[in-house]
């Protein structure tokens, strides 16, 4: 043993396992959904203005639509410029035709890409014949773009507490992979499909481990239908039956919530 090594003394059992170390997320509770859109857009715009070459992980879904609208408006007014920014989307249904209106690729085009120049944009290919091969490709692509500066995530419907499409049972070290969607997720999201019966059974998603590697994570949630999940995520045990609870392992999480989504947290 060298002199340097002999100075390192780690008392056995003294330090907790990494996953048992948790941090309280910064909580921002706002009066309504529009205020969440504006606050979240403001944080993202500030991130890009501070570091134009930022790498961002971004979500789709109902929650971020207003937020994207405000980012587009700011870009069109010259307040922010995404032309050097890299976007690595969280997830995509599989199988799905990327050109169909129901795909998350179409969502991103409709709400962001068609309106502002973005440096680089990546999303899993829902049309890839092999989900596993596409997961492997996207995993390598994400790895090559690390570190992600900011990951923005929404939270799943009902009791799913998913982030990305990491449904119950997802582990904190999970990475990009094919997942089977929870029935609650399929029911909630089928409503958004042109033909609800066409919602795929599965998706490709960044893993919890990928999301946790981001330097900063913003969780956005709006509406009373998210209140149970937000409370379980932020106040319940950190465990894989509420995958979003793993966000509490990360030292820098900002939860931007409207009063409805935060209602069980307030006064606790
Ligand atoms: C979508 C995603 C999902 C959604 C979540 C909430 O890219 O990763 O985790 O953020 O299902 O969806 P909405 O916002 O439609 O309630």
């Amino acid at each position: 043993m060298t002199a340097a090594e002999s100075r390192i003394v780690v008392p056995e059992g003294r330090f907790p396992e990494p996953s048992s170390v948790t941090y309280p997320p910064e909580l921002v509770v706002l009066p309504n959904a529009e205020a969440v859109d504006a606050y979240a857009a403001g944080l993202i715009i500030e991130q890009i203005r501070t570091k134009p070459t930022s790498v961002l992980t971004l979500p789709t879904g109902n929650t971020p639509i207003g937020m994207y609208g405000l980012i587009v408006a700011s870009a069109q007014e010259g307040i922010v410029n995404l032309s050097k920014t890299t976007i690595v989307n969280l997830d995509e249904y599989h199988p799905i035709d990327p050109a169909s209106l129901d795909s998350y690729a179409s969502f991103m085009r409709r709400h962001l890409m068609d309106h502002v120049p973005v440096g680089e944009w990546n999303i899993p290919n829902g049309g890839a014949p092999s989900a596993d091969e596409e997961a492997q490709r996207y995993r390598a692509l994400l790895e090559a773009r690390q570190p992600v500066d900011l990951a923005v995530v929404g939270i799943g419907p009902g009791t799913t507490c998913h982030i990305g499409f990491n449904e119950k049972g997802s582990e904190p070290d999970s990475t990009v992979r094919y997942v089977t969607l929870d029935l609650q997720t399929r029911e909630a999201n089928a409503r958004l499909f042109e033909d609800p019966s066409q919602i795929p059974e599965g998706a490709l998603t960044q893993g919890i481990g990928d999301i946790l590697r981001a330097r900063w994570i913003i969780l956005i949630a709006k509406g009373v239908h998210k209140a149970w999940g937000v409370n379980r995520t932020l106040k319940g045990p950190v465990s894989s039956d509420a995958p979003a609870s793993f966000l509490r392992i990360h030292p820098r999480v900002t939860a931007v919530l409207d009063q409805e989504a935060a209602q069980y947290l307030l006064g606790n």
Side-chain angles (χ1 to χ4, degrees):
M1 189 182 282
T2 66
E5 279 167 343
S6 69
R7 285 200 298 272
I8 301 168
V9 182
V10 181
E12 214 174 310
R14 168 141 173 228
F15 298 110
E17 287 298 309
S19 65
S20 66
V21 179
T22 62
Y23 303 85
E26 179 195 12
L27 268 189
V28 180
V29 180
L30 298 163
N32 52 46
E34 291 71 33
V36 170
D37 297 341
Y39 195 92
L43 294 180
I44 296 168
I45 289 167
E46 203 43 48
Q47 169 70 38
I48 299 169
R49 281 169 60 95
T50 307
K51 183 180 176 189
T53 57
S54 289
V55 179
L56 307 178
T57 281
L58 293 180
T60 59
N62 277 329
T63 312
I65 290 177
M67 177 190 92
Y68 286 131
L70 294 170
I71 293 172
V72 167
S74 298
Q76 288 172 345
E77 285 166 28
I79 294 167
V80 66
N81 179 351
L82 282 74
S83 66
K84 295 196 173 94
T85 303
T86 296
I87 293 174
V88 190
N89 263 89
L90 271 171
D91 44 21
E92 174 63 285
Y93 295 107
H94 190 280
I96 198 161
D97 176 358
S100 96
L101 285 179
D102 301 321
S103 74
Y104 281 169
S106 286
F107 174 100
M108 288 305 290
R109 280 193 291 271
R110 219 162 36 244
H111 294 290
L112 190 63
M113 306 306 160
D114 285 350
H115 310 287
V116 295
V118 171
E120 186 190 296
W121 169 48
N122 307 283
I123 189 161
N125 178 7
S130 159
D132 288 343
E133 278 173 27
E134 176 56 12
Q136 207 178 330
R137 182 194 73 84
Y138 204 64
R139 199 179 306 138
L141 181 151
L142 178 59
E143 185 63 42
R145 281 146 188 85
Q146 294 285 2
V148 170
D149 295 288
L150 169 61
V152 182
V153 299
I155 183 169
T159 60
T160 61
C161 291
H162 71 216
I163 46 174
F165 273 137
N166 293 282
E167 304 285 19
K168 283 180 204 297
S170 298
E171 296 296 340
D173 59 355
S174 54
T175 183
V176 179
R177 67 205 186 285
Y178 174 83
V179 291
T180 302
L181 295 173
D182 189 292
L183 214 55
Q184 289 182 72
T185 302
R186 292 188 71 217
E187 275 170 18
N189 292 12
R191 284 196 292 264
L192 309 171
F193 273 64
E194 270 193 309
D195 173 357
S197 71
Q198 292 305 303
I199 185 162
E201 282 175 17
L204 292 157
T205 185
Q206 289 192 28
I208 302 280
D210 300 316
I211 295 167
L212 293 180
R213 280 176 77 183
R215 288 178 163 148
W216 178 26
I217 303 174
I218 298 175
L219 168 70
I220 46 174
K222 310 191 290 200
V224 66
H225 62 299
K226 295 293 174 78
W228 188 92
V230 164
N231 192 53
R232 169 65 187 85
T233 292
L234 299 181
K235 291 287 172 72
V238 173
S239 65
S240 63
D241 57 274
S245 67
F246 288 125
L247 291 173
R248 283 157 52 207
I249 297 174
H250 194 287
R252 190 174 178 213
V253 174
T254 305
V256 185
L257 314 169
D258 69 3
Q259 246 163 13
E260 289 187 352
Q263 62 181 286
Y264 301 139
L265 299 175
L266 304 173
N268 281 354

